[in-house]
Amino acid sequence: RMKSLCRSKATAARSDRTLRFLGLILAATFCAVAAGPAASRHPLKARHGMVVSADSLASAAGLSVLMRGGNAVDAAVACGFTLAVTYPEAGNIGGGGFMILHRADGSSTMIDFRETAPGAARRDMYLDAGGNPLTEKSLLGPLAAGVPGTVAGLLHALDAYGTMDRQQIIGPALRCAEGGFSVSDRLAASLAEEWPGLSRFPSTMKVFARSGSSLRFGDTLRQPDLGRTLRLIAERGSGGFYGGSVAGCIIGEMRRHGGIITEGDLTGYHTVERPPLHGTYRGFDIVTASPPSGGGATLIQILNYLEKFDLRAMGWNSSRAIHVLASASQRAFADRAAYLGDPDFVPVPLKLLLSKEYASARVQGWDSLHATASRSVAPGALRDHRETTHFCTADRWGNVVSVTFTLNELFGCKDLVDGAGFFLNDEMDDFSVKTGAVNIYGLPGGEPNAIAQGKRMLSSMSPTIVLKDGKPFLALGGRGGSRIPTTVAQIISNVIDFDMNIQEAVDAPRTHHQWEPDSLLYDRHGLVADVLRALGSMGYKLVEVPWTARAQALMIDPASGMFLGGPDPREEGVALGY
């Protein structure tokens, strides 16, 4: 721990002077990102530390912490709480997620603050009398909500690995909530898209409507109720959220709209520190999320498969290289449905699934000329949506943090907790509501992910740190539901196989296959006609989508030690450093 570190007066003065210009820097950076240039930008470079997130104010909050002498964990927690204010469609204190931390001493850990099923949850709670899924019940309103974990997780990280106090860390978020900020084009578009669901809840309308319509670009959004909640968290820690008046507001929302979270569920919530998953790819070490996140295991399986092929010789985004990626993804997602779940409830055969030998067995019988129909891709034989957000931070001492958290869909279950000012998640839909039934992302559910009291639902979140010769090299992750692990795999491959810098690797068009449904998705205008024809002749059902996933990433140059930021132009991502 670095509690003993303090800045000199000269350093403090320099940081304060720099912060006066931060608003101008943000404005210039935001315009550059929002413009969406045709050619990939150069990555932002910084010498002492960096924050990359989907929101300019959140990145600024994290940067201000670094510049005041905080470490990467301090910056990540500040960024996370600020996203709960400025990125309400996905940033949250009413959801959950995972943090991967690589410390300056060379150790790594994962903080699991995934939501849990309430004590009153039942295996068949989203089925009708005939056993058919009732989709709206697992998506809309408080019955869809799992017990939130974000507050407990961020505060656990701060207490265990941070250097600053809660008031310093939560201060930027609190000021944004109480003072307000201008609604971005991104937030206005998200509100308009989800307004039919959002407008069903009076508490949501009270904050996000003007004259009966959703807030528009340029409107000022103030959130005094959320400000009071953040102030209680700053003063009382987890008790300010899981107890007292905030907990009372959550229980009141449950009673009004048929939810089942109780006071006991809230006070009983706890984070879990778990060993992260470790894999390798062409000599680089992959440190990523372990179950109950299924994203990390899926990522390592895909990379193990890709490693069997010379992608560089095939050519970047050639039909042959995309065919290999799609085949790898089909097999990894088939295994995900069959074997992955909360390890506290079901045995998960990770040692076998993630072994190089298993990948070799999965490659056997691969047809290099034809797509494999997903119906013929079974889980391997074992012996022995999109509404998430990612951010990453790095400091001058060698600490690197990669965090993904989520509400599941945009604005979660759409219900803003009256009097407390935050959205509840709709993560119960990530359970297998019924074995074989698909969730909102089209993923079929398996028995290991069935609903059970206190259980953590399976996730596709894939916060990842890549090491080169034991030192941090990349930190990355994304939003996009089931599309996250394939996106992370492609960015890693872009850097390692094709020598792209981090901004080029993030900007590059991407593809996605997830076994079921049996479709190959690709970014709009992402593939040339010749490649599309070749893939079509192989038998792929091709679907163009506005975007496959959105990622945020940073790189640490092994030669110079410089931090290089790679925010995603597909959203209003911003990298800031000093």
Side-chain angles (χ1 to χ4, degrees), residues 144-205:
V147 182
T150 295
V151 172
L154 293 181
L155 293 184
H156 173 89
L158 184 64
D159 291 342
Y161 302 107
T163 69
M164 301 175 75
D165 61 40
R166 291 193 302 270
Q167 285 77 12
Q168 291 173 298
I169 294 298
I170 296 177
L174 183 58
R175 290 189 287 274
C176 285
E178 294 179 339
F181 61 93
S182 182
V183 173
S184 67
D185 183 61
R186 179 214 75 235
L187 177 53
S190 296
L191 287 167
E193 178 183 349
E194 298 296 329
W195 199 242
L198 293 166
S199 60
R200 293 173 62 167
F201 297 97
S203 57
T204 304
M205 292 282 288

Side-chain angles (χ1 to χ4, degrees), residues 31 55 63 185 205 314 328 361 370 397 448 460 465 474 490 498 536:
C31 289
D55 179 77
L63 178 62
D185 183 61
M205 292 282 288
M314 292 179 179
H370 301 94
W397 298 287
S460 293
I465 294 172
L474 301 175
Q490 286 170 87
F498 299 104

Side-chain angles (χ1 to χ4, degrees), residues 448-511:
N449 193 37
I451 298 172
Q453 301 170 17
K455 191 175 183 180
R456 296 171 192 241
M457 59 289 292
L458 194 59
S459 167
S460 293
M461 289 182 276
S462 310
T464 299
I465 294 172
V466 178
L467 308 177
K468 182 178 183 180
D469 299 324
K471 296 181 178 180
F473 176 57
L474 301 175
L476 70 163
R479 60 177 288 212
S482 55
R483 306 173 190 182
I484 297 172
T486 54
T487 287
V488 173
Q490 286 170 87
I491 294 172
I492 291 173
S493 176
N494 287 346
V495 172
I496 294 174
D497 292 316
F498 299 104
D499 300 323
M500 295 186 190
N501 69 47
I502 192 60
Q503 192 64 69
E504 291 171 331
V506 170
D507 290 356
R510 298 189 276 265
T511 60

Side-chain angles (χ1 to χ4, degrees), residues 14 45 88 209 570:
R14 184 168 62 251
K45 294 183 179 181
R570 297 166 180 82

Side-chain angles (χ1 to χ4, degrees), residues 371-397:
T372 305
S374 287
R375 64 179 178 273
S376 67
V377 177
L382 295 179
R383 297 174 185 170
D384 275 15
H385 218 310
R386 61 189 179 95
E387 310 327 331
T388 299
T389 191
H390 181 84
F391 52 100
C392 39
T393 61
D395 64 35
R396 53 185 164 168
W397 298 287

